[in-house]
Amino acid sequence: MPASQFDPDAFPDGWGHRHLLDLERLSTAEIRLLLDTAARFKEATDGCRRKLSVLTGRTIVNLFFENSTRTRTSFSLAARRLGADVVDFTASSSSLSKGESFIDTARNLEAMGVDAVVVRHATPGTPHLLAQHLSVGVINAGDGPHEHPTQGLLDIFSIREHRGDLAGATVGLVGDIAHSRTARSNLWGLLKLGAKVILCGPPTLVSLRWKELGVEVSHDLDAIVPRCDVLNLLRIQFERQNTRPFPSVREYAHLYAMTRERLKRAKKDLLILAPGPINRGVEVTAEVADCPQSLILDQVTNGLAVRMGVLWLTCGGRSVAGDAAARRPPARAV
Ligand code: CP
């Protein structure tokens, strides 16, 4: 669809942020707006396959300081499908190695006329720091164990696509909750949309203190499986752990992997999610990862829709597509 035929008024309005830093500080209405915008983009691009040149002339920088397959590729593709230019910044071959600071690096990229920076970093709060120093949009693509807002959104989008409203749904987040940014973003988004959240894993990775946020905590996967409408199976983040939180991976898998046997005791319409990368045989068996209830690859497709929506909202898509510098709400940092 050429930009001239693209009707920004057909999209929901009400986004007042320049950045997307986390889901914790967004309102329920803002989370719904992000999800609704993603749904419109999925539809308008024929399932995220077709180009829709509504960000032509805009430039997005991917600033990734941790490895990524899905998020980095997905942001690049989403930007290109909307007609934007993409710069993939590679930290290892940059002038960071000559002593340039992270902020100076980002400000130099900004000076080249980019419109948004997508950042992944091992240090929690890095996107928030960038947002204080840049005047362009900053999108958090994962900051250490803190948050991964577009992952939370695409997980929730995938659940919503299959069962409609999240209110009343029981969603189990299983695995390494202590180190999982995906768990945190899911938790905030799910609670705001009215879902019941159960955090499940070994006591060393799932503290009882999470209950203070209004979630249930369980250390017994077999006890919660029959009650769940959705299970989101999280990877053990060995790279963020100083000591091993359980005796062996084999013992962990025995107690917490989603298996065919456990699936037999689940609701018939249980949805299986995993943010990826998945470790087959650890948090989920191959049979369950590939079973009909698994949304794992749907999540990846929906990641494109979510990121198209986020880029469009944070890069001033409405003004590109039509009138509307005047209508666009004043940008404010979250
Ligand atoms: N789910 C996710 O963030 O995957 P990547 O690390 O491959 O981006």
Side-chain angles (χ1 to χ4, degrees):
M1 185 191 296
S4 59
Q5 290 174 25
F6 177 77
D7 179 10
D9 291 327
F11 282 67
D13 204 348
W15 181 253
H17 303 285
R18 184 189 307 139
H19 313 296
L20 176 64
L21 301 178
D22 50 55
L23 297 191
E24 179 178 359
R25 284 176 291 172
L26 295 186
S27 68
T28 302
E30 287 169 330
I31 290 173
R32 285 192 200 283
L33 173 74
L34 285 161
L35 296 169
D36 291 344
T37 305
R40 294 291 182 99
F41 271 109
K42 186 169 181 182
E43 189 183 8
T45 56
D46 196 14
C48 305
R49 288 181 181 80
R50 220 152 47 82
K51 253 190 142 168
L52 191 66
S53 302
V54 295
L55 287 183
T56 303
R58 301 286 161 130
T59 303
I60 315 298
V61 177
N62 276 331
L63 202 56
F64 276 55
F65 293 85
E66 277 190 338
N67 292 342
S68 169
T69 296
R70 280 147 290 272
T71 312
R72 182 179 190 138
T73 311
S74 179
F75 267 112
S76 290
L77 276 176
R80 290 192 174 102
R81 297 253 160 96
L82 297 187
D85 295 320
V86 178
V87 177
D88 274 315
F89 173 86
T90 309
S92 59
S93 59
S94 75
S95 289
L96 284 160
S97 63
K98 301 175 197 164
E100 188 167 41
S101 76
F102 175 69
I103 297 297
D104 280 335
T105 300
R107 292 184 68 188
N108 275 266
L109 293 168
E110 181 183 41
M112 294 182 213
V114 305
D115 297 287
V117 175
V118 178
V119 61
R120 170 173 286 193
H121 202 285
T123 305
T126 300
H128 306 69
L129 179 70
L130 263 192
Q132 288 168 15
H133 288 269
L134 301 185
S135 59
V136 298
V138 177
I139 299 167
N140 182 359
D143 60 327
H146 174 229
E147 277 222 38
H148 190 351
T150 55
Q151 182 68 48
L153 289 168
L154 75 90
D155 290 349
I156 292 168
F157 183 98
S158 303
I159 300 168
R160 207 176 74 148
E161 212 173 35
H162 278 261
R163 54 162 292 136
D165 197 4
L166 270 286
T170 300
V171 181
L173 305 175
V174 182
D176 184 357
I177 306 301
H179 303 97
S180 174
R181 52 197 177 205
T182 294
R184 281 168 182 72
S185 289
N186 263 271
L187 184 153
W188 294 121
L190 289 165
L191 288 179
K192 284 171 200 219
L193 294 177
K196 175 178 177 52
V197 177
I198 307 177
L199 303 180
C200 181
T204 46
L205 293 174
V206 191
S207 164
L208 291 173
R209 294 204 61 179
W210 284 104
K211 287 183 183 177
E212 292 167 20
L213 297 177
V215 302
E216 182 179 330
V217 171
S218 170
H219 302 126
D220 184 350
L221 180 59
D222 289 309
I224 70 156
V225 160
R227 295 167 49 210
C228 286
D229 301 300
V230 181
L231 283 175
N232 198 341
L233 308 171
L234 307 173
R235 184 176 67 86
I236 302 297
Q237 312 250 320
F238 290 111
E239 72 275 22
R240 300 193 202 285
Q241 299 169 4
N242 295 324
T243 54
R244 183 155 288 195
F246 39 75
S248 70
V249 171
R250 192 178 162 138
E251 178 168 342
Y252 176 84
H254 176 66
L255 292 173
Y256 294 108
M258 192 58 196
T259 61
R260 186 166 55 173
E261 291 311 308
R262 291 194 165 108
L263 197 56
K264 283 182 192 161
R265 297 195 291 275
K267 292 182 182 175
K268 289 275 174 293
D269 55 356
L270 173 75
L271 299 175
I272 301 283
L273 279 77
I278 60 170
N279 286 300
R280 291 170 186 255
V282 181
E283 69 271 16
V284 60
T285 62
E287 294 165 311
V288 175
D290 301 328
C291 76
Q293 293 110 301
S294 168
L295 302 185
I296 293 173
L297 292 179
D298 292 339
Q299 288 170 261
V300 177
T301 305
N302 290 335
L304 274 172
V306 162
R307 286 160 186 141
M308 282 194 265
V310 168
L311 289 171
W312 191 68
L313 288 168
T314 53
C315 280
R318 279 175 195 276
S319 60
V320 172
D323 63 343
R327 272 195 301 120
R328 191 150 47 108
R332 64 181 167 89
V334 274

